[in-house]
Amino acid sequence: MTLLRTTLTGLAALAFTAASAQTSSTAMPKPPVAALKAKELKSPFGTRLDNYYWLNERENPDVISYLTAENAYFEQQMAPVKELEETLFQEIKGRIQEQDESVPYRDNGYYYYTRFEAGAEYPIYCRKKGSLSAKEEVLLNGNELGKGKSYYQIGGLEISDDNQVMAYSEDVVSRRLYTLRFRNLKTGQLYPEQILNTSGNAVWAADNKTVFYTRKDPTTLLDYQLLRHTLGTDPAQDQLVYEEKDNTFRIQAHRSKSRQYVLLDIGSTMSSEIRFLDAHKPTGALKVFLPREPDHLYEVEHFGPDFYVRSNAGAPNFRLVKTPVSNTAKTAWQEVIAHRPDVFLENMELFKDYLVLGERKEGLLQLRVMEWKNKKEHYLNFGEPAYTAAISVNPEFDTPVLRYAYSSLTTPGSTFDYNMATRTKTLRKEQAVLGNFKKEEYVTERLYATAADGTKIPMSIVYKKGFKKNGTAPVLQYAYGSYGYSMNPTFSAARLSLLDRGFAYVICHIRGGQEMGRQWYENGKKLHKKNTFTDFTDCSKFLIEEKFTSADKLFAMGGSAGGLLMGAIVNNHPEYYKGVVAAVPFVDVVTTMLDETIPLTTGEYDEWGNPNQQEFYDYMLSYSPYDQVKAQAYPNMLVTTGLHDSQVQYFEPAKWVAKLRTVKTDQNLLLLHTDMAAGHGGASGRFKSLHDTARQFAFLLLLLGVKS
């Protein structure tokens, strides 16, 4: 394949774009073209030529100029739907109850909640002592703290056992490197110390002055050190408690629900190890619960004289065991819930009188309640074909009330309190959707597409009544399919803007997620990764054959690892799609996974494989979207990224777009939009982020010829 060579770089690219903008309205502006600067990438298994490797120089003015030029080209091409984009933004924003408040939960004598004020971007964190009728105490006002900042995000927020001091964290860059701060809740005064480069969460010991936190490597962004800080002292004197030397593992600290223990979770994709420390003896040594073993994942919670362990040892879908605090060896484990091949044990919640299990069967979440004393059990009934039900915030042991969250494609996010003794539920809040929304006007279906190997792939579908399955309607197809993350069917008020314009929205529960159990994930990772891509395109084929849509009305969307999915499907089956939105896409798989300095790389060998081994190198190379770009027609594409992205570096999508521009044979739109102030999650603030959604929807409607 011969690439056309150009000398257009940096400021010249800006000048080129500016000139394009001045052409007559009938002339088609030309996109910016990145300079070709050939670089050989050598590995033991071959040498690849990367003409756009130079785009990884974040501080290079030529790189910034190129990204700015792409943004200018994006604005030119989107100009016909600029008013529509604003209409969509106002429409989506108009469904939000601007003055809003979460359902309070009780913890250690206080009721905690967040609220939003009308017109404000950020939450206000509050509490009331003893009763909901008590005076409100504002803990943090995100609007005051974020004022004047292009990006602002509050991370963790933890209160000391005596309720007197708050630890909280903030990120003003969007790299997920949080600065830890402390505030005296009696006086409102900040303590002088600021601890940089943390994961954002703090864990209090029981003495109300000792805090544990994890430090991140500022280059790789891996959490690798646990430190102990004494309130009011210089962080430079903080003591290192633990350091993880294996860069395929990362660490995270938390407090047990019983408050008895500080727990350190050390984990990779396929292996975990937990260490624990008595919270009343914060200067003591960490004890190993069970040493890490290959292919053994486990998590621990404390209750009474025992630890409860969710483990996949000999149980691919996980089982629940308990073991005495005094003896955590496997020989002491006693089975509580046995492994079941058709049910995935996802999580648990322990109460004084009840055990609650979050389970997944046939792709749907279930909540199972069991009484400790007599082992009687029952499941909650939700009554919809596709839904999401999950254990919510339950910090207290001695209560018969389970707080859970519920949503479906037609039911807004809801908070319920369920009395496990009387088996009665109380709706505490259903998220308000302003305007003329009526859930009964929308229809949900649960269908299955057949993959090439005969596997049935579940799909959750929603559309407005009146939708006709005659091949003329537009469909937006979405999936993720990595890391075992399950894409649950939940409500989106923003999505109504598409449904009300005739779209159906489809979530494909493809392999690589965990919707159908642990094996579903195993069959979509490493040397089985291509199942993820073919599952998605088999769902596309089903939607076209069943007349939900046609190839000139089918759109695909995915982000991050779901952006990798988008890159693979447009290489393999571009003919299925009218347009594709790839948000912060992970597309340069081989280069990234060979570079241990790139954030999060080494911790993902268990997900993608280690390309330092030839079978993984060859397999990755065979599907890597950037490497597999070829001279063919591609669908219309919108690619988004953030300059400060901590998960997928901005240069992956930038390089991908640059290469596509020189190789693809069609005249379809190819747009790159870079948020120059944000990272992986996009803009901060509840309204700023809506512009991202409106932008994506306007792109889809532009392709359908809808301009108002």
Side-chain angles (χ1 to χ4, degrees):
M1 178 166 49
T2 302
L3 301 182
L4 297 176
R5 186 168 294 276
T6 176
T7 58
L8 188 65
T9 69
L11 296 174
L14 271 181
F16 184 89
T17 305
S20 298
Q22 295 169 6
T23 58
S24 69
S25 59
T26 58
M28 178 65 71
K30 295 182 179 180
V33 179
L36 299 176
K37 300 181 182 181
K39 180 179 177 64
E40 288 189 343
L41 301 177
K42 296 181 179 180
S43 80
F45 314 117
T47 298
R48 292 173 299 128
L49 189 67
D50 190 343
N51 289 310
Y52 304 104
Y53 189 86
W54 66 275
L55 286 172
N56 71 356
E57 301 167 8
R58 191 192 312 270
E59 308 302 325
N60 184 339
D62 286 352
V63 172
I64 300 301
S65 296
Y66 171 68
L67 297 176
T68 305
E70 284 283 7
N71 280 352
Y73 179 68
F74 168 84
E75 295 296 339
Q76 292 169 6
Q77 295 299 316
M78 292 288 287
V81 288
K82 198 64 182 175
E83 289 186 10
L84 175 59
E85 183 181 326
E86 179 62 22
T87 297
L88 288 164
F89 170 75
Q90 295 297 339
E91 192 173 286
I92 296 168
K93 181 182 177 184
R95 297 192 188 101
I96 296 174
Q97 184 168 290
E98 293 196 22
Q99 189 161 328
D100 201 6
E101 186 175 301
S102 68
V103 180
Y105 64 88
R106 192 175 187 275
D107 185 16
N108 199 22
Y110 282 80
Y111 287 91
Y112 290 88
Y113 58 98
T114 58
R115 60 178 176 83
F116 285 94
E117 294 181 341
E121 289 280 359
Y122 300 108
I124 301 171
Y125 295 85
C126 309
R127 70 177 183 177
K128 293 181 178 180
K129 185 176 182 179
S131 167
L132 290 174
S133 60
K135 182 181 178 181
E136 179 181 85
E137 180 182 349
V138 174
L139 301 173
L140 286 176
N141 187 328
N143 302 295
E144 293 177 358
L145 295 168
K147 189 175 182 180
K149 297 179 175 68
S150 59
Y151 182 91
Y152 186 77
Q153 182 70 45
I154 294 172
L157 186 156
E158 296 293 338
I159 310 295
S160 60
D161 288 14
D162 63 3
N163 293 310
Q164 298 301 308
V165 185
M166 173 180 62
Y168 72 97
S169 61
E170 51 190 3
D171 174 14
V172 297
V173 178
S174 189
R175 289 286 285 172
R176 302 186 185 181
L177 289 168
Y178 290 91
T179 298
L180 193 59
R181 309 290 306 270
F182 302 92
R183 174 172 288 170
N184 186 306
L185 295 177
K186 268 192 170 182
T187 66
Q189 296 299 307
L190 284 172
Y191 284 77
E193 63 260 40
Q194 299 184 41
I195 305 176
L196 306 180
N197 296 336
T198 80
S199 64
N201 66 306
V203 181
W204 288 96
D207 64 359
N208 304 302
K209 65 179 182 181
T210 303
V211 174
F212 295 90
Y213 65 92
T214 53
R215 176 183 287 161
K216 286 190 172 188
D217 182 306
T219 300
T220 66
L221 301 185
L222 287 172
D223 304 276
Y224 75 111
Q225 290 180 329
L226 177 71
L227 293 101
R228 180 170 53 232
H229 174 74
T230 301
L231 193 64
T233 66
D234 183 354
Q237 305 303 315
D238 289 354
Q239 294 176 300
L240 180 65
V241 179
Y242 176 83
E243 181 171 353
E244 178 54 49
K245 302 291 188 181
D246 185 340
N247 63 5
T248 66
F249 283 75
R250 59 191 306 174
I251 67 174
Q252 182 178 20
H254 67 281
R255 188 94 172 260
S256 65
K257 183 175 178 177
S258 66
R259 297 179 180 265
Q260 183 65 39
Y261 294 100
V262 173
L263 299 168
L264 179 66
D265 298 329
I266 308 166
S268 66
T269 305
M270 296 300 296
S271 178
S272 58
E273 176 180 300
I274 291 174
R275 302 187 179 207
F276 63 100
L277 171 71
D278 190 329
H280 295 83
K281 301 175 182 177
T283 59
L286 286 169
K287 298 179 181 178
V288 178
F289 184 91
L290 189 74
R292 67 191 71 175
E293 301 170 316
D295 300 320
H296 182 209
L297 294 168
Y298 71 96
E299 60 186 44
V300 169
E301 186 56 274
H302 173 247
F303 178 42
D306 300 312
F307 283 120
Y308 283 76
V309 188
R310 176 180 167 268
S311 165
N312 72 343
N317 276 340
F318 289 83
R319 60 182 176 134
L320 183 65
V321 301
K322 70 175 182 177
T323 191
V325 170
S326 58
N327 184 4
T328 60
K330 281 184 181 180
T331 53
W333 289 10
Q334 304 168 49
E335 193 153 82
V336 179
I337 301 293
H339 174 260
R340 292 151 294 167
D342 61 335
V343 179
F344 179 70
L345 178 58
E346 192 157 283
N347 51 28
M348 60 179 168
E349 188 73 55
L350 305 178
F351 294 89
K352 177 175 175 286
D353 296 319
Y354 300 91
L355 167 66
V356 179
L357 302 173
E359 301 177 344
R360 193 180 290 274
K361 185 175 183 180
E362 296 180 353
L364 291 176
L365 287 161
Q366 299 177 323
L367 296 182
R368 177 185 182 188
V369 178
M370 186 179 79
E371 296 183 51
W372 290 120
K373 64 180 180 181
N374 56 24
K375 307 302 180 186
K376 288 183 178 178
E377 62 178 57
H378 65 278
Y379 286 87
L380 278 67
N381 181 19
F382 303 111
E384 288 193 83
Y387 62 86
T388 299
I391 298 167
S392 186
V393 182
N394 293 274
E396 299 201 322
F397 266 112
D398 193 4
T399 174
V401 177
L402 165 71
R403 171 73 54 85
Y404 73 90
Y406 181 84
S407 179
S408 76
L409 292 171
T410 59
T411 303
S414 306
T415 301
F416 284 89
D417 281 345
Y418 179 73
N419 189 305
M420 295 178 282
T422 63
R423 302 192 184 186
T424 56
K425 63 183 178 181
T426 302
L427 175 63
R428 296 296 306 273
K429 180 179 181 178
E430 181 176 286
Q431 188 62 46
V433 180
L434 304 185
N436 58 356
F437 169 71
K438 296 177 182 176
K439 67 176 72 176
E440 60 272 14
E441 293 181 353
Y442 301 86
V443 178
T444 298
E445 289 192 59
R446 180 84 163 181
L447 298 176
Y448 293 82
T450 302
D453 63 2
T455 303
K456 300 293 185 182
I457 312 301
M459 295 179 291
S460 299
I461 304 174
V462 62
Y463 48 81
K464 194 168 187 178
K465 286 182 177 177
F467 180 89
K468 289 183 170 52
K469 299 175 187 176
N470 59 9
T472 65
V475 166
L476 177 57
Q477 182 182 340
Y478 173 83
Y480 185 73
S482 291
Y483 302 106
Y485 292 165
S486 298
M487 293 295 104
N488 297 314
T490 58
F491 184 82
S492 165
R495 190 188 300 141
L496 297 175
S497 290
L498 292 182
L499 302 185
D500 291 349
R501 287 174 170 82
F503 274 76
Y505 181 80
V506 180
I507 302 174
C508 301
H509 306 288
I510 56 182
R511 282 174 284 188
Q514 215 157 229
E515 289 92 335
M516 303 294 283
R518 185 69 180 181
Q519 197 59 44
W520 202 249
Y521 169 48
E522 298 288 344
N523 290 341
K525 67 194 281 278
K526 293 176 92 169
L527 298 176
H528 302 291
K529 189 65 215 169
K530 290 181 183 178
N531 285 335
T532 300
F533 316 140
T534 56
D535 283 358
F536 190 89
T537 52
D538 286 335
C539 288
S540 302
K541 185 178 178 183
F542 173 91
L543 292 168
I544 293 170
E545 289 177 347
E546 295 299 314
K547 302 294 185 182
F548 276 85
T549 190
S550 59
D552 63 353
K553 295 286 183 69
L554 179 57
F555 301 90
M557 180 183 289
S560 194
L564 164 65
L565 170 65
M566 296 299 101
I569 65 165
V570 296
N571 281 338
N572 298 336
H573 282 289
E575 73 277 8
Y576 285 168
Y577 309 100
K578 175 71 172 179
V580 171
V581 176
V584 293
F586 172 43
V587 286
D588 192 10
V589 184
V590 179
T591 306
T592 292
M593 294 304 297
L594 281 171
D595 188 348
E596 295 188 6
T597 68
I598 291 178
L600 311 181
T601 289
T602 55
E604 303 207 343
Y605 289 157
D606 283 337
E607 179 69 26
W608 312 104
N610 184 344
N612 295 297
Q613 301 170 22
Q614 183 156 11
E615 66 172 340
F616 292 114
Y617 177 92
D618 292 342
Y619 190 76
M620 283 182 194
L621 188 62
S622 72
Y623 69 73
S624 172
Y626 182 65
D627 293 288
Q628 295 303 320
V629 168
K630 49 176 107 38
Q632 66 177 14
Y634 282 85
N636 299 281
M637 295 170 63
L638 168 61
V639 181
T640 69
T641 187
L643 183 62
H644 301 289
D645 198 318
S646 59
Q647 312 297 106
V648 178
Q649 304 303 298
Y650 74 90
F651 46 80
E652 289 200 36
K655 287 166 53 177
W656 184 42
V657 168
K659 186 174 183 180
L660 280 165
R661 288 209 189 285
T662 63
V663 176
K664 73 190 190 83
T665 61
D666 59 87
Q667 297 300 312
N668 290 330
L669 279 179
L670 173 59
L671 304 179
L672 173 66
H673 182 271
T674 303
D675 190 321
M676 305 301 280
H680 198 63
S684 62
R686 58 174 176 160
F687 299 133
K688 286 181 183 178
S689 62
L690 299 182
H691 285 289
D692 296 339
T693 303
R695 188 181 299 122
Q696 293 168 359
F697 288 3
F699 173 74
L700 303 181
L701 293 168
L702 172 68
L703 299 180
L704 291 174
V706 178
K707 297 182 180 179
S708 62

